[in-house]
Amino acid sequence: MQIVIINSNATELYVIHKILYQIKDIIYYYMSASENVRYIKIQKIGEGAYGIIYKAQDVQTEEIVALKKFKLSDNEGVPSCALREISILNQLNHPNIIKLISQIIINKKLHLVMNYYDMDLTEYLKFNHEEFHLKNIIYKILLAVEFIHNRKIIHRDLQPNNILITNNEPVLIDFGLSRVLSPNMTPGVTQLWYRAPELLSNCNTYDYAIDMWSLGCIIAEIALNKPLFMGSSEIHQLLLIKNIINGNEWFLHNSQFAKLNNLFIDLINVCISLEFLEIIIS
Amino acid sequence: PLEFKLDLSMIPQTTVKTEEFYNLVLQHYLEKQQKPTQFLTKDNKGYDGEERMRFLNWLIEITNSYKMNYSTFFIICSILDEFQKKTQKITRDNLYLTGLSCMYLASKFNDVIPLRIDQAIYISHDRFDRNKIFKKELEIFECLDHQLNFSNSFLFLTLLLRLYLSKVKDKGDDIIEI
């Protein structure tokens, strides 16, 4: 670094020298940072219970990536959601599922490096789109979920915020809650509006059906442009769901479904099947 | 041989016969399961088949008494074998540290309520401190290419049994005759 000073007398020089001396640590820090640090954080995008997501730039390739920083609970080593997310994402290689580029440790904190997309499904639905784009998105989401289920993995957090859209193609993200099928699991997963009735009734032997329920809600949301069940609490949500016990009639009487094709209603009806709820009530 | 017993409380509609059948298949599987023989050392200092068996039996006890998922035991098994296959660094001296770290890792991966670090230290009778376990844990995790999702026969067995139970819900309890 060179500083050229023209036409200056001794006192000015002395002042500048003093300032430079004071900020020399900062200058050295930035000069060394560019060599050691591969990713530079640009801004914070989101925050959750698991950690913080940053938008960042790769210094070497000048690519924009998303950095997911895990809050390390101070005394538990690698957090369990990170363990699950990394080992599950490493297994999945599909065009409609987010790719894990690498995982790095900065300042003893675990960071996941992933591709960056700037629009999610909720934002995407705020604008008007061609019908075949929407159909394509639904189809691709179904394919991706089938791909996950074939590998005995349950996503457990399907919601429009976790589906990103790039060039009218969906990408599934956030596998922090997902896990391999096992006989005993926690019921408190998925966002409330997309939570299946078996989860709402605190059952811990559920299976892939909970993902299908969320999918049904998402598909209806894409068609109607507003969420299907908007409960304010778990009880309220169950009451809303109870309305559709006689599925077909409910769909017929509900005016908002009038514009939809019969086949499409069948698709939603299959996803939000109520076999489980009928068992509870009877 | 391994002494692995299941109680099938989490599977609905179980009878005595189901349990018998399940244990039978499991015993059979455990006997036939391929031991990674070429990676087990034969000299006195090393980690041989007998030592492995003794350790796995101890693991079964621990996983039972801490109420972990049944599949956790099988995941620990796979992690341990895979680690030995990749590094061949396990000796009789560091077997317990490695195994404990494997257990801690697998429990965090697979259990509803994961093992806490103070429990892990308690299991080791205060022989290892937390930094030692964390360091080993990270080493194992990196060594396995961040991949803990091993498929094991236990999972298939569970799926098979579930499928069968859902098919014969009303046919009674003739489960031995699959």
Side-chain angles (χ1 to χ4, degrees), chain A residues 258-270:
Chain A
K259 60 175 181 176
L260 298 180
N261 189 340
N262 270 337
L263 280 174
F264 195 80
I265 290 182
D266 274 348
L267 173 65
I268 300 176
N269 215 344
V270 168

Side-chain angles (χ1 to χ4, degrees), chain A residues 75-78 80 83-84 86-87 90-91 103 152 179-186 205 207, chain B residues 10 69 104-105 108-112 116-117 130 134 137-138 141 145-149 155 159 162:
Chain A
N75 44 21
E76 284 298 336
V78 187
S80 57
L83 280 181
R84 287 176 189 168
I86 294 172
S87 56
N90 269 334
Q91 243 187 358
Q103 52 273 328
K152 304 190 295 296
R179 60 162 302 159
V180 182
L181 181 70
S182 100
N184 201 357
M185 296 181 277
T186 335
T205 52
D207 56 5
Chain B
M10 71 282 199
N69 266 348
Y104 186 51
L105 201 63
K108 277 199 294 188
F109 177 69
N110 195 45
D111 279 346
V112 176
R116 291 197 313 274
I117 184 68
R130 58 179 62 205
F134 286 158
E137 180 201 1
L138 209 61
F141 190 44
D145 294 329
H146 311 280
Q147 180 60 270
L148 301 181
N149 197 359
L155 193 64
L159 288 175
R162 263 187 154 202

Side-chain angles (χ1 to χ4, degrees), chain B residues 35 55 92 96 108-109 121 131 145 147 157 159 174:
Chain B
K35 269 189 248 165
F55 184 72
R92 196 168 286 181
Y96 276 83
K108 277 199 294 188
F109 177 69
I121 293 170
N131 289 331
D145 294 329
Q147 180 60 270
L157 199 59
L159 288 175
D174 279 340

Side-chain angles (χ1 to χ4, degrees), chain A residues 213 216-217 220 224 228-229 243-262 264-274:
Chain A
W213 180 277
C217 295
L224 305 174
L228 188 57
F229 306 113
N243 287 333
I244 59 163
I245 281 186
N246 309 338
N248 289 325
E249 281 179 38
W250 186 71
F251 281 110
L252 275 183
H253 292 302
N254 210 329
S255 59
Q256 53 184 354
F257 291 105
K259 60 175 181 176
L260 298 180
N261 189 340
N262 270 337
F264 195 80
I265 290 182
D266 274 348
L267 173 65
I268 300 176
N269 215 344
V270 168
C271 285
I272 50 179
S273 92
L274 280 171

